[in-house]
Short mmCIF file of all heavy atoms in Angstrom, two decimals:
data_model
loop_
_atom_site.label_atom_id
_atom_site.label_comp_id
_atom_site.label_asym_id
_atom_site.label_seq_id
_atom_site.Cartn_x
_atom_site.Cartn_y
_atom_site.Cartn_z
N GLU A 29 102.63 120.11 73.54
CA GLU A 29 102.56 119.02 72.42
C GLU A 29 103.17 119.58 71.09
O GLU A 29 103.95 118.84 70.38
CB GLU A 29 101.17 118.61 72.17
CG GLU A 29 100.71 117.62 73.34
CD GLU A 29 100.17 118.42 74.49
OE1 GLU A 29 99.87 119.64 74.37
OE2 GLU A 29 99.91 117.95 75.68
N THR A 30 102.78 120.83 70.87
CA THR A 30 103.30 121.42 69.54
C THR A 30 104.78 121.58 69.52
O THR A 30 105.47 121.31 68.53
CB THR A 30 102.67 122.84 69.35
OG1 THR A 30 101.20 122.66 69.32
CG2 THR A 30 103.10 123.36 68.02
N ALA A 31 105.46 122.02 70.68
CA ALA A 31 106.79 122.28 70.76
C ALA A 31 107.58 120.88 70.66
O ALA A 31 108.68 120.86 69.91
CB ALA A 31 107.21 122.87 72.15
N LEU A 32 107.03 119.77 71.11
CA LEU A 32 107.70 118.58 71.01
C LEU A 32 107.54 118.01 69.58
O LEU A 32 108.56 117.53 68.95
CB LEU A 32 107.13 117.44 72.04
CG LEU A 32 107.43 117.77 73.47
CD1 LEU A 32 106.75 116.99 74.42
CD2 LEU A 32 109.01 117.44 73.65
N ALA A 33 106.35 118.09 69.00
CA ALA A 33 106.16 117.61 67.69
C ALA A 33 106.94 118.34 66.64
O ALA A 33 107.40 117.78 65.66
CB ALA A 33 104.60 117.77 67.30
N ASN A 34 107.07 119.69 66.85
CA ASN A 34 107.84 120.44 65.80
C ASN A 34 109.31 120.32 66.07
O ASN A 34 110.11 121.01 65.26
CB ASN A 34 107.37 122.04 65.98
CG ASN A 34 106.03 122.16 65.49
OD1 ASN A 34 105.44 121.31 64.83
ND2 ASN A 34 105.39 123.35 65.78
N GLY A 35 109.79 119.77 67.14
CA GLY A 35 111.19 119.69 67.45
C GLY A 35 111.85 120.98 67.97
O GLY A 35 113.01 121.18 68.04
N ASP A 36 110.92 121.86 68.52
CA ASP A 36 111.43 122.92 69.18
C ASP A 36 112.15 122.68 70.55
O ASP A 36 113.12 123.43 70.97
CB ASP A 36 110.38 124.01 69.56
CG ASP A 36 109.61 124.43 68.22
OD1 ASP A 36 110.23 124.58 67.28
OD2 ASP A 36 108.35 124.66 68.45
N VAL A 37 111.88 121.63 71.11
CA VAL A 37 112.53 121.08 72.34
C VAL A 37 112.63 119.61 72.17
O VAL A 37 111.88 118.95 71.41
CB VAL A 37 111.85 121.39 73.63
CG1 VAL A 37 111.78 123.00 73.87
CG2 VAL A 37 110.39 120.84 73.62
N ASP A 38 113.70 118.85 72.82
CA ASP A 38 113.92 117.55 72.67
C ASP A 38 113.09 116.79 73.76
O ASP A 38 112.70 115.64 73.49
CB ASP A 38 115.40 117.36 72.80
CG ASP A 38 116.29 118.03 71.79
OD1 ASP A 38 116.07 117.88 70.65
OD2 ASP A 38 117.16 118.76 72.19
N LEU A 39 112.95 117.33 75.00
CA LEU A 39 112.29 116.82 76.13
C LEU A 39 111.39 117.93 76.63
O LEU A 39 111.80 119.13 76.47
CB LEU A 39 113.22 116.21 77.10
CG LEU A 39 114.17 115.21 76.86
CD1 LEU A 39 115.12 114.81 77.94
CD2 LEU A 39 113.50 113.90 76.29
N TYR A 40 110.40 117.55 77.43
CA TYR A 40 109.75 118.55 78.21
C TYR A 40 109.60 117.95 79.72
O TYR A 40 109.10 116.94 79.86
CB TYR A 40 108.29 118.70 77.71
CG TYR A 40 107.69 120.03 78.36
CD1 TYR A 40 107.76 121.25 77.80
CD2 TYR A 40 107.09 119.77 79.63
CE1 TYR A 40 107.23 122.42 78.46
CE2 TYR A 40 106.50 120.93 80.24
CZ TYR A 40 106.57 122.22 79.62
OH TYR A 40 106.10 123.26 80.30
N VAL A 41 110.07 118.74 80.67
CA VAL A 41 110.03 118.42 82.14
C VAL A 41 109.53 119.52 82.88
O VAL A 41 110.25 120.41 83.27
CB VAL A 41 111.42 117.99 82.56
CG1 VAL A 41 111.25 117.44 83.96
CG2 VAL A 41 112.16 116.93 81.57
N GLY A 42 108.15 119.55 82.95
CA GLY A 42 107.57 120.61 83.66
C GLY A 42 106.09 120.22 84.11
O GLY A 42 105.15 120.76 83.56
N THR A 43 106.04 119.55 85.25
CA THR A 43 104.70 119.21 85.67
C THR A 43 103.76 118.85 84.70
O THR A 43 102.60 119.27 84.57
CB THR A 43 104.06 120.35 86.70
OG1 THR A 43 103.91 121.55 85.84
CG2 THR A 43 104.97 120.76 87.75
N TYR A 44 104.19 117.80 83.77
CA TYR A 44 103.44 117.46 82.61
C TYR A 44 102.70 116.15 82.99
O TYR A 44 103.33 115.09 82.97
CB TYR A 44 104.45 117.26 81.48
CG TYR A 44 103.98 117.32 80.03
CD1 TYR A 44 102.62 117.51 79.75
CD2 TYR A 44 104.79 116.94 79.01
CE1 TYR A 44 102.17 117.43 78.50
CE2 TYR A 44 104.31 116.96 77.67
CZ TYR A 44 103.01 117.16 77.48
OH TYR A 44 102.56 117.18 76.15
N SER A 45 101.50 116.27 83.21
CA SER A 45 100.73 115.07 83.59
C SER A 45 100.46 114.09 82.38
O SER A 45 100.11 114.56 81.36
CB SER A 45 99.34 115.49 84.11
OG SER A 45 99.41 116.21 85.29
N ILE A 46 100.75 112.84 82.70
CA ILE A 46 100.54 111.81 81.67
C ILE A 46 98.99 111.41 81.57
O ILE A 46 98.45 111.07 82.61
CB ILE A 46 101.27 110.47 82.00
CG1 ILE A 46 102.80 110.77 82.18
CG2 ILE A 46 101.00 109.41 81.03
CD1 ILE A 46 103.52 109.61 82.70
N THR A 47 98.41 111.63 80.33
CA THR A 47 97.02 111.26 80.17
C THR A 47 96.92 110.49 78.92
O THR A 47 97.77 110.54 78.01
CB THR A 47 96.15 112.50 80.02
OG1 THR A 47 96.50 113.23 78.79
CG2 THR A 47 96.39 113.43 81.22
N ASP A 48 95.84 109.62 78.73
CA ASP A 48 95.72 108.83 77.51
C ASP A 48 95.55 109.87 76.25
O ASP A 48 95.98 109.46 75.16
CB ASP A 48 94.44 108.06 77.68
CG ASP A 48 94.55 106.85 78.75
OD1 ASP A 48 95.74 106.56 78.94
OD2 ASP A 48 93.66 106.35 79.17
N LYS A 49 94.83 110.97 76.53
CA LYS A 49 94.65 111.91 75.37
C LYS A 49 96.05 112.40 74.91
O LYS A 49 96.27 112.38 73.71
CB LYS A 49 93.81 113.04 75.82
CG LYS A 49 93.57 114.19 74.77
CD LYS A 49 92.71 115.10 75.23
CE LYS A 49 92.35 116.23 74.20
NZ LYS A 49 91.48 117.36 74.68
N ARG A 50 96.93 112.78 75.87
CA ARG A 50 98.22 113.19 75.45
C ARG A 50 99.09 112.13 74.88
O ARG A 50 99.98 112.45 74.05
CB ARG A 50 98.88 114.00 76.67
CG ARG A 50 98.26 115.26 77.02
CD ARG A 50 98.89 115.89 78.30
NE ARG A 50 98.22 117.05 78.68
CZ ARG A 50 98.22 117.68 79.90
NH1 ARG A 50 98.85 117.04 80.92
NH2 ARG A 50 97.70 118.83 80.03
N LYS A 51 99.03 111.04 75.29
CA LYS A 51 99.74 109.75 74.84
C LYS A 51 99.41 109.63 73.30
O LYS A 51 100.31 108.83 72.71
CB LYS A 51 99.55 108.59 75.63
CG LYS A 51 100.29 108.76 76.99
CD LYS A 51 99.74 107.72 77.99
CE LYS A 51 100.06 106.20 77.73
NZ LYS A 51 99.69 105.30 78.68
N LYS A 52 98.48 110.14 72.78
CA LYS A 52 98.26 110.05 71.36
C LYS A 52 99.07 111.11 70.51
O LYS A 52 99.16 111.03 69.35
CB LYS A 52 96.69 110.20 71.07
CG LYS A 52 95.82 109.11 71.64
CD LYS A 52 94.52 109.51 71.35
CE LYS A 52 93.46 108.36 72.05
NZ LYS A 52 92.03 108.71 71.81
N LEU A 53 99.61 111.98 71.27
CA LEU A 53 100.23 113.15 70.68
C LEU A 53 101.77 113.11 70.93
O LEU A 53 102.63 113.61 70.08
CB LEU A 53 99.73 114.44 71.12
CG LEU A 53 98.25 114.69 70.76
CD1 LEU A 53 97.78 115.94 71.41
CD2 LEU A 53 97.98 114.70 69.32
N VAL A 54 102.19 112.68 72.14
CA VAL A 54 103.58 112.56 72.60
C VAL A 54 103.70 111.38 73.36
O VAL A 54 102.88 110.61 73.81
CB VAL A 54 103.96 113.75 73.43
CG1 VAL A 54 103.77 115.17 72.71
CG2 VAL A 54 103.15 113.84 74.72
N ASP A 55 105.11 110.94 73.47
CA ASP A 55 105.48 109.88 74.38
C ASP A 55 105.97 110.41 75.73
O ASP A 55 106.44 111.53 75.84
CB ASP A 55 106.68 109.06 73.81
CG ASP A 55 106.18 107.92 72.87
OD1 ASP A 55 104.93 107.81 72.79
OD2 ASP A 55 106.91 107.24 72.16
N PHE A 56 105.81 109.53 76.75
CA PHE A 56 106.25 109.90 78.00
C PHE A 56 107.07 108.81 78.65
O PHE A 56 106.77 107.67 78.70
CB PHE A 56 104.97 110.05 79.13
CG PHE A 56 104.09 111.22 78.77
CD1 PHE A 56 102.95 111.09 78.06
CD2 PHE A 56 104.38 112.47 79.26
CE1 PHE A 56 102.18 112.20 77.83
CE2 PHE A 56 103.62 113.53 79.11
CZ PHE A 56 102.50 113.55 78.28
#
């Protein structure tokens, strides 16, 4: 989440489970 929020990466593709908690921090 930090890497995406800070713009360190543009996308993240790595067994990243979609959860309601994470959807408050990143989009999927």
Side-chain angles (χ1 to χ4, degrees):
E29 289 82 13
T30 301
L32 288 166
N34 291 346
D36 298 329
V37 293
D38 303 305
L39 300 175
Y40 191 95
V41 188
T43 60
Y44 198 6
S45 295
I46 301 170
T47 67
D48 288 340
K49 181 179 179 180
R50 288 174 178 161
K51 283 163 68 174
K52 296 177 181 178
L53 302 173
V54 300
D55 271 357
F56 288 100

